[in-house]
Amino acid sequence: MAKNLVIVESPAKAKTIEGYLGKDFVVKSSYGHVRDLAKKGIAIEIENDFKPNYEVSPDKKAIVSELKKLTKEADVVWLATDEDREGEAISWHLYETLDLKKKVTKRITFNEITKSAILKAIDKPRNINQELVNAQQARRVLDRLVGFELSPVLWKKVRPSLSAGRVQSVAVRLIVEREKEIMGFHSESFYKIQGVFLKGKEKIKAEVSRNMGTDTEVKEFLSLCQETNFEVLDVQMKPATKTPAVPFTTSTLQQEASLKLGFSVSRTMSVAQRLYEAGKITYMRTDSVNLSQTAIDGAEAEIKRAYGANYSKPTKYQTKNANAQEAHEAIRPTDFSAHSISGESDEVRLYDLIWKRSIASQMSHAQLERTTIKIGASKLPEVFTAKGEVIKFDGFLKVYLESSADEEEDDEKEDTEGLLPAVVVGENLNREVIKATERFTRAAPRYVEASLVKKLEELGIGRPSTYAPTISTIQKRGYVEKKEREGEERAFAYFELKDQSIIESKKTEITGKEKNKLSPTDIGIVVTDFLVEHFDRIMDYHFTAKVEAQFDEIAKGMIEWTKMIHDFYSPFHLNVEDTLENSERATGERELGFHPVSGKKIIVRIGRFGPMVQVGDEKEDGEKPQFASLRGEQSINSITLEDALELFKLPRTLGEFEDLTVKANIGRFGPYLQHGKAFISLKKEDDPMTIDLARAEELILIKREDDANKIIKIFPEREDLQLLNGRWGAYLKIGKDNYKLPKDIVVEDLTLEQCLEIAENQPAPKRKPGSKAPAKSTTVAKAKPAAKTKVIAKKKPVAKKKPAAKK
């Protein structure tokens, strides 16, 4: 056995590092955290100074067992997890769980997975930084306290199975407030005036800097332009400098990858993780724009080699955020001479983005000449302005302009192109056309993932490691969704002065078209309003940022983590108890009007299964109310009385098929058909209000075929047990629970006893809070076989899929 055991977080990293170390080293992966707060109960001893109760995760027990065996055989154990707080905590949990001894345990960190960096880390080991560990513990404990105490409040006061989180709920608040701002926005029109002037055959495009407010003002101005002889009033040519952007941090990489590559935040981090583990880039969770001297020297050498000495400008950047917890290096290539890499498309494109940003940051500034031409006449109240610029020395722009075919570089080209013909003051110009286009003021745009990250960073909420999981969580919880909006047609006025005629016309455009914008759901709005009303301290942006700053202080050893938790928890717990006892239920109820026939009141609100319309009130009318679910695109905040009345036309009876009635309706999970006891979800293009019987029959037959292909094997003696084909391959289904199947097994040959054993050997499937479905043990216990069969007994434990490494 090797003398040295190195433990890292991910198997990809382990494979790369093992290639750099000699035969005396074995590198193993912990697959992220091996233990966490116990899942049962709050797992925090509040009366015992908030002592956390940790347990080894069920899916990590085999890994822990293997690592324990290896540590006993090794002379030295090297804990080589990531260098941020989360990585430090993973090392500490490994130290505690594996019963390691201080004298034989060494902590090492590295910012990049290269041979030189690994060997340098081995030469300079340190002890586990307990202050960093405490900062991570404080975050974990605080988040558990908030979630554990707030969620039951939401179950009682809003709806079952809801949850709240310290950072996530504040992120949702940002999206909700932006939505309310948009809903309350009143658009106003104005006119943008643009002209095209000729010097010989060369065109000069210019515009009036002041927008005009009315069509009367526009007509008056164009009338003056009819008889005007235009001339050059002024020409200014000024040198200008364009500087490169600073190297990438986590948030700026996420923003740029969204803008240039169309990546989601989680996709960016996943691709960056692979690049890091393959040794291509430095660590991808960082607040710092700093580059090491080694990196600066490497960039300088490559710039001089590839472009020339005049393109090199070594620059040391300083991080503005004094509390940047990951203050090592910005994200950069490990080898500046590698202008590109081979591999998957996503990896190639993201690496290209990182390499160009990094190398450009160490290059000379671009030298430009900016030209401004003023065009008009003495009798005109407004002046037309044309602007253009010429690149005198491309500097850092060279890395963007040299491969102009790439889509992500087009923006840089557009910023630096716009040639204007040479003109002199007093020179006459011919008017080709002047046009006035009606435009409209717009509300602030809805957030996309990248702009939400930017806002969270500006407010000091969260840290690099939290952005991606936060955005993922608020969507999974159903508080926020990405909506595709088709937009709507809008008419606008258009005036054109050509020759001596002023032509007025109406044109149309599509406005409001959106894709991948974050919108709050109805439940997201109701929950946010409730939390803001009753837990304003938790939902306050400044307070949330202050908590992040306190975590930073703990990491620096400035305050005790338990004191920080105590100061937070005491008033928070009193707030929870007061809200449980004294607050009203929150439903987001809104009155729409009265039913035209019965005269009963019609309201919309959040019900047990989502947004709904209600006709009548049992307390007022003495009769049971009628209910209807809202459609997916409808909201309790915007639905009209007319739209609400339409919903009560459901269920629609479409006719008979195979002697059974076919109905169209909207339910808890969206629009569907009912055919006897069968329920068939409608496709995206189908509308329950307009679907006909012919289309319904088609969908019923498609569903039957899909179901038939899905079933691999059924057991008559256990109707609740099936072997099925799913999106990720074959699986076992017992009641409402799903179980993974072992690899390299013939699914069709499995017996009932073998299926039951597979289920028995796996952890109980996770369930959402409030789920009433039976647990796995009750599902299989009644028919547990007397003896295990040989086929299964020879196999390893079933849960073989390796857990994901920490992101």
Side-chain angles (χ1 to χ4, degrees):
M1 177 63 194
K3 297 178 181 178
N4 297 276
L5 173 66
V6 182
I7 304 177
V8 296
E9 291 170 325
S10 75
K13 190 189 297 186
K15 187 177 179 181
T16 306
I17 293 172
E18 199 162 47
Y20 296 142
L21 299 173
K23 61 181 181 178
D24 289 337
F25 288 81
V26 168
V27 186
K28 291 293 180 180
S29 169
S30 71
Y31 295 90
H33 277 283
V34 294
R35 71 173 187 174
D36 195 4
L37 290 174
K39 293 190 179 298
K40 188 175 181 180
I42 195 168
I44 297 166
E45 297 178 24
I46 295 171
E47 302 301 325
N48 187 18
D49 217 11
F50 300 96
K51 180 185 176 184
N53 291 328
Y54 295 110
E55 66 177 11
V56 175
S57 308
D59 60 339
K60 296 296 179 69
K61 287 183 178 178
I63 293 167
V64 168
S65 178
E66 180 189 8
L67 291 175
K68 274 189 175 180
K69 182 182 177 183
L70 291 172
T71 56
K72 289 176 181 176
E73 297 172 354
D75 293 337
V76 181
V77 177
W78 303 80
L79 299 176
T81 54
D82 292 340
E83 59 182 321
D84 57 8
R85 293 179 198 162
E86 203 71 26
E88 202 71 20
I90 291 174
S91 278
W92 178 73
H93 282 297
L94 284 167
Y95 182 86
E96 297 282 316
T97 306
L98 302 177
D99 298 320
L100 299 178
K101 305 301 178 187
K102 191 172 183 179
K103 63 180 180 179
V104 296
T105 305
K106 297 183 179 182
R107 172 80 170 111
I108 57 171
T109 61
F110 34 83
N111 188 41
E112 59 186 64
I113 304 177
T114 58
K115 186 171 184 178
S116 60
I118 302 302
L119 295 178
K120 185 177 179 181
I122 293 287
D123 287 339
K124 294 183 179 180
R126 62 172 173 80
N127 294 323
I128 291 172
N129 185 329
Q130 193 61 42
E131 290 164 347
L132 282 181
V133 173
N134 289 341
Q136 191 273 346
Q137 283 199 105
R139 178 187 288 279
R140 190 73 188 90
V141 168
L142 186 61
D143 287 347
R144 172 62 69 92
L145 289 170
V146 171
F148 195 87
E149 298 217 355
L150 270 191
S151 296
V153 178
L154 296 179
W155 302 346
K156 184 176 179 180
K157 299 297 183 178
V158 184
R159 199 181 79 185
S161 300
L162 295 175
S163 58
R166 180 183 59 85
V167 175
Q168 294 93 327
S169 295
V170 174
V172 176
R173 180 183 181 182
L174 281 169
I175 295 166
V176 168
E177 289 184 343
R178 178 60 58 86
E179 193 69 21
K180 289 181 176 180
E181 186 182 338
I182 292 169
M183 290 167 64
F185 181 78
H186 176 67
S187 182
E188 295 180 353
S189 67
F190 62 91
Y191 287 89
K192 198 176 186 68
I193 315 295
Q194 296 171 310
V196 178
F197 303 92
L198 300 174
K199 179 192 176 177
K201 291 184 178 181
E202 293 184 282
K203 294 183 178 183
I204 301 174
K205 295 179 180 180
E207 65 178 51
V208 175
S209 58
R210 184 181 73 84
N211 294 322
M212 297 185 183
T214 65
D215 54 357
T216 302
E217 190 179 3
V218 168
K219 290 175 185 177
E220 289 175 356
F221 180 73
L222 293 180
S223 296
L224 287 173
C225 290
Q226 275 180 308
E227 305 302 328
T228 298
N229 293 318
F230 288 91
E231 63 175 299
V232 176
L233 302 178
D234 185 39
V235 179
Q236 290 187 7
M237 300 174 72
K238 292 182 178 179
T241 300
K242 191 176 181 72
T243 60
V246 299
F248 281 130
T249 62
T250 300
S251 68
T252 55
L253 176 63
Q254 290 167 351
Q255 291 165 49
E256 196 76 352
S258 172
L259 180 68
K260 301 289 178 68
L261 308 180
F263 285 8
S264 68
V265 167
S266 59
R267 182 179 175 187
T268 298
M269 294 310 291
S270 176
V271 177
Q273 179 97 24
R274 296 200 298 270
L275 289 173
Y276 167 64
E277 290 175 349
K280 304 298 184 185
I281 64 170
T282 54
Y283 192 54
M284 65 286 157
R285 294 187 183 93
T286 173
D287 280 339
S288 176
V289 296
N290 178 54
L291 293 178
S292 66
Q293 192 58 49
T294 301
I296 292 172
D297 293 344
E300 181 181 9
E302 180 56 24
I303 292 165
K304 288 180 177 178
R305 186 199 69 79
Y307 305 112
N310 58 329
Y311 281 91
S312 177
K313 188 179 186 299
T315 306
K316 194 88 171 173
Y317 294 97
Q318 297 295 321
T319 302
K320 293 179 181 178
N321 179 9
N323 288 323
Q325 72 167 42
E326 339 287 355
H328 30 66
E329 266 197 277
I331 304 168
R332 62 163 176 85
T334 55
D335 179 7
F336 280 97
S337 68
H339 292 217
S340 61
I341 61 168
S342 58
E344 294 181 10
S345 172
D346 280 3
E347 293 172 12
V348 170
R349 295 170 72 201
L350 192 66
Y351 180 85
D352 182 68
L353 207 66
I354 294 168
W355 183 84
K356 284 177 178 170
R357 178 80 162 233
S358 303
I359 201 86
S361 76
Q362 298 302 304
M363 293 177 72
S364 303
H365 298 173
Q367 303 302 319
L368 314 173
E369 184 178 77
R370 288 190 174 136
T371 303
T372 303
I373 301 173
K374 302 285 186 181
I375 303 167
S378 57
K379 69 176 184 178
L380 278 183
E382 305 296 338
V383 173
F384 288 86
T385 303
K387 291 183 178 181
E389 60 184 27
V390 177
I391 301 174
K392 293 296 186 180
F393 172 65
D394 52 6
F396 78 93
L397 291 175
K398 191 171 188 66
V399 300
Y400 294 100
L401 300 178
E402 67 182 358
S403 31
S404 59
D406 291 352
E407 182 181 347
E408 64 265 27
E409 289 139 11
D410 289 347
D411 291 342
E412 290 289 355
K413 286 183 68 66
E414 287 171 9
D415 285 346
T416 56
E417 291 186 340
L419 295 176
L420 294 172
V423 293
V424 294
V425 175
E427 185 174 352
N428 291 325
L429 299 174
N430 293 321
R431 163 178 55 81
E432 182 179 69
V433 65
I434 296 176
K435 52 190 178 182
T437 308
E438 186 180 19
R439 301 287 78 192
F440 301 86
T441 56
R442 293 184 292 182
R446 291 180 175 89
Y447 290 105
V448 293
E449 288 190 5
S451 59
L452 181 61
V453 165
K454 185 178 182 181
K455 187 65 176 177
L456 289 169
E457 188 180 39
E458 285 174 1
L459 293 171
I461 296 168
R463 287 295 183 263
S465 61
T466 66
Y467 299 138
T470 294
I471 291 172
S472 175
T473 297
I474 62 179
Q475 292 178 74
K476 286 179 182 175
R477 288 179 176 175
Y479 292 147
V480 170
E481 61 186 350
K482 287 181 181 176
K483 272 192 174 181
E484 264 192 57
R485 291 178 168 84
E486 295 300 324
E488 55 188 28
E489 193 173 76
R490 175 175 65 188
F492 64 93
Y494 177 78
F495 295 86
E496 186 175 272
L497 169 60
K498 198 164 188 177
D499 299 325
Q500 292 304 109
S501 300
I502 298 174
I503 302 168
E504 180 179 354
S505 61
K506 284 285 183 182
K507 295 187 176 185
T508 59
E509 62 185 352
I510 299 297
T511 182
K513 188 172 184 178
E514 289 183 342
K515 190 176 182 181
N516 290 330
K517 296 289 181 75
L518 298 171
S519 300
T521 60
D522 283 339
I523 193 65
I525 293 173
V526 171
V527 167
T528 298
D529 289 346
F530 178 83
L531 291 176
V532 168
E533 180 181 356
H534 297 287
F535 295 93
D536 57 329
R537 184 165 173 253
I538 289 286
M539 298 294 285
D540 181 75
Y541 300 130
H542 298 296
F543 174 76
T544 310
K546 181 183 176 184
V547 169
E548 295 290 349
Q550 288 177 316
F551 291 149
D552 294 331
E553 290 174 348
I554 293 167
K556 295 173 184 175
M558 296 168 65
I559 58 174
E560 286 290 330
W561 78 270
T562 52
K563 182 182 184 306
M564 178 258 180
I565 298 294
H566 186 275
D567 291 345
F568 164 84
Y569 182 74
S570 297
F572 169 67
H573 184 65
L574 290 174
N575 192 180
V576 169
E577 291 184 325
D578 178 65
T579 305
L580 279 169
E581 186 174 345
N582 300 314
S583 67
E584 298 293 326
R585 285 197 77 246
T587 64
E589 182 176 310
R590 188 167 71 92
E591 187 175 321
L592 300 181
F594 296 89
H595 197 283
V597 178
S598 68
K600 292 181 179 179
K601 184 168 66 176
I602 299 180
I603 63 169
V604 286
R605 63 181 178 86
I606 296 292
R608 181 176 179 83
F609 300 116
M612 53 174 281
V613 183
Q614 177 179 327
V615 177
D617 187 319
E618 193 167 1
K619 293 179 181 177
E620 294 180 9
D621 309 323
E623 297 178 11
K624 191 174 181 180
Q626 287 181 279
F627 303 99
S629 296
L630 267 61
R631 300 173 66 171
E633 72 275 10
Q634 293 175 325
S635 166
I636 61 174
N637 294 289
S638 58
I639 190 172
T640 63
L641 176 61
E642 292 72 22
D643 290 337
L645 290 170
E646 283 290 310
L647 294 172
F648 286 96
K649 294 179 180 178
L650 295 174
R652 286 176 59 231
T653 299
L654 307 183
E656 299 282 326
F657 177 55
E658 297 178 345
D659 298 326
L660 292 172
T661 301
V662 181
K663 295 179 180 179
N665 203 354
I666 298 176
R668 181 181 176 188
F669 302 109
Y672 68 93
L673 296 171
Q674 183 177 357
H675 179 235
K677 292 183 179 180
F679 296 88
I680 301 97
S681 295
L682 294 186
K683 304 294 184 184
K684 187 177 180 180
E685 63 270 20
D686 295 313
D687 188 331
M689 304 301 298
T690 58
I691 190 171
D692 58 19
L693 182 61
R695 173 60 175 161
E697 291 175 3
E698 185 182 345
L699 291 174
I700 291 168
L701 294 174
I702 290 171
K703 179 69 163 59
R704 282 184 188 170
E705 186 178 352
D706 289 345
D707 287 347
N709 293 334
K710 184 178 180 181
I711 297 173
I712 301 174
K713 190 172 184 178
I714 58 175
F715 300 89
E717 62 269 41
R718 280 294 298 267
E719 293 184 357
D720 64 327
L721 190 150
Q722 297 176 311
L723 289 165
L724 304 172
N725 271 318
R727 184 179 180 186
W728 310 113
Y731 67 97
L732 169 64
K733 183 178 180 68
I734 302 179
K736 294 184 178 180
D737 294 331
N738 299 331
Y739 301 89
K740 297 173 186 174
L741 295 175
K743 293 180 180 178
D744 305 322
I745 197 166
V746 181
V747 180
E748 294 83 354
D749 293 345
L750 286 173
T751 65
L752 174 62
E753 289 74 19
Q754 290 171 337
C755 290
L756 292 170
E757 185 176 349
I758 288 172
E760 193 67 20
N761 287 338
Q762 288 190 36
K766 293 181 180 179
R767 297 208 166 276
K768 293 181 180 179
S771 173
K772 294 183 179 180
K776 186 256 317 183
S777 58
T778 60
T779 304
V780 299
K782 291 180 182 178
K784 187 175 180 181
K788 295 183 179 181
T789 61
K790 292 182 180 179
V791 175
I792 300 297
K794 288 181 179 180
K795 292 190 173 287
K796 294 180 180 180
V798 175
K800 291 175 71 177
K801 187 174 181 181
K802 294 180 180 179
K806 176 182 78 67
K807 299 292 181 188

